């Protein structure tokens, strides 16, 4: 019996950039390669800041989180956090303290507290005002680590039969964004008299190049050629945008021009008219494969 003919892919792209965000809503780390796990890129959103009630904190409430810069040190065994005016915080990647429970959006999940030193570090830095002075009403914060034994599922409304796992991400394992989408936004921003913006505002995990603007919205499974074999990521839900893209990641200052510009062309009927930019994606194949900048990506347009 002869094999069925192979259908050429509609989209031929390549991985241009890779990012992980070890602490939810803090700055990301750009990598040349990243291990793909069932919850997304390795150690992405593995830690999270919570308030005294165990509710998660993000740049929406605390824009200064954008200034907290993580880095992996000592061969990846240590997470180092730096922030303006603060001594570096060093955390062992494989160490936690007391078990606890926390809430991320509608999910209450088991986690591990990272101890009093980390709690004081975040409380001190996030308790400063815009002038860098302590606020008298500053709340107390703690840092927690996701319990890897817990299975936090993405919304089955969007993933169907697939049990897509994630850690402390907003809801899906991987965010994919095409570089041409950013270029189109920057053209519109400049036409309105604003400066172009950096892709870091949109917090993608995988940035693709070589495709048309917003092709990531229109394709089915992304087939990535890795050294270990093919990895497959399926885009399942457009990523609705909150005010975080308005926050400058270098200054933590917010201004409205990004979302104001998106409002003119990115209202998405699939998510009740929300502004979308990038696609939430799930891991269908390739767990334990290594994604690298430059790897080719194939996909075909979706007609549904």
């Amino acid at each position: 019996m002869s094999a069925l003919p192979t259908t050429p892919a509609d989209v031929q792209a390549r991985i241009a950039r890779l990012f992980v965000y070890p602490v939810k809503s803090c700055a990301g780390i750009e990598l040349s390669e990243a291990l793909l796990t069932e919850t997304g890129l390795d150690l992405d959103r593995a830690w999270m800041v919570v308030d005294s009630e165990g509710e998660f904190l993000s740049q929406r409430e605390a824009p200064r989180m954008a200034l907290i810069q993580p880095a992996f040190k000592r061969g990846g065994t240590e997470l180092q956090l730096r922030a303006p005016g603060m001594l570096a915080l060093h955390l062992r990647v494989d160490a936690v303290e007391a078990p606890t429970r926390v809430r991320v959006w509608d999910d209450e999940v088991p986690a591990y507290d990272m101890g009093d030193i980390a709690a004081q570090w975040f409380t001190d830095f996030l308790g400063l005002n815009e002038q860098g002075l302590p606020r008298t009403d500053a709340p107390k914060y703690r840092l927690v680590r996701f319990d890897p034994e817990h299975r936090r599922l993405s919304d089955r409304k969007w993933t169907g039969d697939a049990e897509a796992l994630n850690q402390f991400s907003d809801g899906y394992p991987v965010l994919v964004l095409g570089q041409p989408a950013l270029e189109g936004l920057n053209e519109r921003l400049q036409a309105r008299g604003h400066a172009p913006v950096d892709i870091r505002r949109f917090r993608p995990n995988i940035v693709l190049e070589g495709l048309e603007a917003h092709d990531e919205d229109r394709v089915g499974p992304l087939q990535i050629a890795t050294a270990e074999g093919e990895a497959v990521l399926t885009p399942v839900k457009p990523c609705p945008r909150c005010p975080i893209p308005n926050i400058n990641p270098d200054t933590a200052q917010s201004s409205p021009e990004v979302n104001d510009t998106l409002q003119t062309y990115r209202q998405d009927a699939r998510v009740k008219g929300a502004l979308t930019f990038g696609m939430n994606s799930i891991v269908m194949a390739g767990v334990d494969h290594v994604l690298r900048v430059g790897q080719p990506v194939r996909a075909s347009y979706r007609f549904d």
Side-chain angles (χ1 to χ4, degrees):
M1 181 182 293
S2 60
L4 291 173
T6 301
T7 303
D10 299 314
V11 173
Q12 302 274 356
R14 77 178 195 101
I15 296 177
R17 303 176 78 176
L18 292 166
F19 294 90
V20 295
Y21 308 85
V23 182
K24 182 180 180 66
S25 227
C26 294
I29 302 173
E30 186 164 8
L31 302 171
S32 60
E33 61 180 49
L35 181 69
L36 184 64
T37 75
E38 63 181 353
T39 60
L41 301 189
D42 191 30
L43 295 179
D44 187 60
R45 277 84 169 191
W47 292 266
M48 182 172 74
V49 182
V50 298
D51 64 16
S52 58
E53 302 299 317
E55 294 281 346
F56 82 99
L57 187 71
S58 78
Q59 289 182 36
R60 301 168 187 85
E61 305 83 28
R64 286 173 60 81
M65 295 183 77
L67 303 178
I68 298 174
Q69 300 285 338
F72 289 116
K73 299 292 185 179
R74 300 182 184 275
T77 63
E78 179 182 282
L79 176 65
Q80 179 190 87
L81 298 168
R82 292 189 176 276
M86 301 287 292
L87 295 174
L89 175 65
H90 300 267
L91 301 170
R92 281 178 51 194
V93 167
D94 62 354
V96 295
E97 294 200 12
T100 186
R101 293 192 69 83
V102 297
R103 180 171 291 276
V104 52
W105 294 112
D106 292 331
D107 297 332
E108 184 179 313
V109 298
Y112 291 96
D113 190 273
M114 294 300 297
D116 291 342
I117 293 175
Q120 193 62 54
W121 193 91
F122 279 92
T123 296
D124 288 347
F125 181 69
L126 297 176
L128 301 178
N129 60 25
E130 292 183 358
Q131 290 73 41
L133 300 174
R135 291 164 40 199
T136 57
D137 61 342
K140 302 292 185 183
Y141 298 115
R142 300 198 72 85
L143 183 67
V144 298
R145 174 79 184 265
F146 191 84
D147 181 350
E149 298 300 316
H150 180 68
R151 294 173 59 84
R152 181 176 175 236
L153 297 181
S154 303
D155 189 343
R156 297 294 285 269
K157 172 186 174 182
W158 295 94
T159 66
D161 292 335
E163 286 196 346
L165 304 181
N166 54 102
Q167 297 196 62
F168 286 136
S169 63
D170 276 355
Y172 298 86
V174 181
L175 180 61
V176 176
L177 180 60
Q179 178 68 27
L182 180 74
E183 293 166 358
L185 169 62
N186 280 332
E187 289 173 3
R188 289 171 171 84
L189 282 167
Q190 291 175 296
R192 293 161 68 97
H194 302 298
V197 297
D198 190 289
I199 207 162
R200 291 175 297 156
R201 293 191 184 222
F202 296 95
R203 304 177 67 76
N205 294 115
I206 299 175
V207 181
L208 300 178
E209 63 182 9
L211 66 173
E212 297 296 320
H214 301 291
D215 262 354
E216 60 270 26
D217 290 8
R218 300 182 279 265
V219 298
L222 301 167
Q223 301 164 282
I224 305 170
T226 78
E228 298 81 15
E230 186 177 82
V232 180
L233 303 177
T234 299
V236 293
K237 183 186 179 185
C239 183
R241 291 299 173 172
C242 65
I244 288 180
N246 286 332
I247 298 171
N248 184 326
D250 295 319
T251 66
Q253 299 299 307
S254 181
S255 54
E257 61 269 12
V258 173
N259 278 358
D260 283 354
T261 302
L262 292 176
Q263 190 77 33
T264 66
Y265 74 109
R266 289 298 299 171
Q267 296 185 57
D268 197 323
R270 293 172 292 178
V271 283
K272 301 180 181 179
L275 306 181
T276 64
F277 207 74
M279 285 294 291
N280 289 303
S281 304
I282 62 176
V283 181
M284 300 300 293
V287 169
D288 293 332
H289 292 192
V290 177
L291 304 187
R292 291 184 172 89
V293 169
Q295 286 173 337
V297 181
R298 304 171 71 252
S300 295
Y301 291 122
R302 187 180 65 246
F303 299 97
D304 55 20

